[in-house]
């Protein structure tokens, strides 16, 4: 029995399931449609795959060691999260419905909304991927976490690859499950008042996270 592998499992699960920008993007897209939510979830897992691949290849160490490169990724990540957050806040302000809509819970997105436009799945996939891939904290986390679960005397590459695969696999289970749960609760979550509240909360979360990244760049 591999004790370190067993110990890594709940740590990785907690890391994946921790609410943050990834979670907010998946929930917001799942409010558009099940397809959009699952696409965003797959995109998040794709972003994690990039980080784990970099960690396995050792390139993440270069990113962390070069302040200018790390700062550039942080700047892009902050700007993108601000872009998504402001978009969600604007949607919360603009979202309106007839008085009877709150009781009837519309299943279809209004014309002109992101869910009504073609290419929603591709847009959602891109949002999920970029939100995770541009997270500058991920390389630091992987570099500090994965080596702790490589037993002394064991080749680092196969073990790190296994641990990284576990993280991506958990993401491929967790985030689609979140999207499907949001879609399952759609008749309630898509009520105008609830939708506005969720848009406002996710928008505030994404904007705050983006702002923190940008402030860290300025203060660095």
């Amino acid at each position: 029995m591999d004790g370190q592998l067993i110990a890594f499992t709940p740590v990785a699960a907690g890391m994946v399931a921790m609410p943050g920008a990834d979670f907010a993007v998946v929930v917001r897209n799942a409010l558009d449609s099940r397809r959009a939510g699952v696409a965003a979830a797959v995109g998040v897992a794709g972003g994690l795959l990039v980080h784990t691949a970099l960690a396995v290849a050792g390139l993440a160490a270069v990113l962390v060691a070069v302040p200018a490169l790390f700062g550039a990724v942080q700047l892009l990540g902050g700007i993108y999260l601000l872009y998504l957050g402001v978009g969600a806040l604007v949607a919360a302000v603009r979202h309106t419905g007839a008085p009877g809509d709150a009781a009837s819970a519309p299943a279809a997105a209004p014309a002109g909304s992101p869910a009504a436009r073609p290419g929603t799945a591709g847009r959602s996939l891109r949002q999920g991927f970029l939100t995770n891939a541009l997270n500058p904290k991920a390389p630091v986390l992987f570099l500090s976490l994965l080596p702790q679960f490589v037993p002394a005397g064991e080749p680092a590459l196969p073990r790190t690859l296994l641990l990284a695969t576990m993280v991506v696999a958990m993401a491929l289970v967790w985030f689609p499950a979140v999207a499907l749960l949001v879609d399952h609760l759609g008749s309630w979550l898509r009520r105008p008042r609830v939708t506005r509240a969720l848009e406002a909360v996710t928008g505030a979360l994404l904007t705050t996270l983006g702002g923190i990244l940008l402030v860290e760049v300025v203060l660095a």
Side-chain angles (χ1 to χ4, degrees):
M1 187 67 68
D2 192 327
Q4 285 188 314
L5 200 60
I6 293 175
F8 176 74
T9 301
V11 173
M15 180 179 68
V16 169
M18 184 181 300
D22 296 334
F23 184 86
V25 167
V26 170
V27 169
R28 183 167 186 254
N29 278 278
L31 287 173
D32 286 345
S33 69
R34 178 189 303 178
R35 183 184 179 192
V38 172
V42 173
V44 168
L48 270 175
L49 183 60
V50 170
H51 290 300
T52 54
L54 290 176
V56 171
L59 297 178
V62 176
L63 176 64
V64 175
V66 181
L69 185 57
F70 184 82
V73 174
Q74 196 168 16
L75 179 63
L76 290 174
I79 291 173
Y80 189 68
L81 289 181
L82 277 179
Y83 166 75
L84 294 180
V86 170
L89 291 174
V90 170
V93 172
R94 290 182 176 177
H95 186 89
T96 57
D101 288 347
S104 59
S113 72
R117 295 196 296 265
T120 296
R123 175 182 57 84
S124 301
L125 181 70
R126 183 172 62 253
Q127 283 188 4
F129 176 79
L130 290 177
T131 297
N132 190 279
L134 293 176
N135 178 7
K137 305 297 184 182
V140 179
L141 181 61
F142 279 109
L143 283 175
S144 61
L145 179 65
L146 298 186
Q148 298 182 34
F149 295 92
V150 177
E154 183 173 322
L157 183 59
R159 181 67 168 202
T160 305
L161 183 59
L162 173 61
L163 298 175
T165 301
M166 289 176 61
V167 173
V168 175
M170 289 177 187
L172 281 172
V173 172
W174 170 249
F175 288 108
V178 170
L180 293 175
L181 177 61
V182 171
D183 181 72
H184 180 71
L185 299 174
S187 59
W188 180 74
L189 293 177
R190 292 189 181 100
R191 294 180 178 183
R193 289 184 180 179
V194 179
T195 300
R196 284 197 297 272
L198 287 173
E199 290 279 13
V201 170
T202 56
L205 175 60
L206 291 170
T207 302
T208 300
L209 292 173
I212 290 174
L213 288 179
L214 293 181
V215 169
E216 290 179 353
V217 171
V218 173
L219 297 179

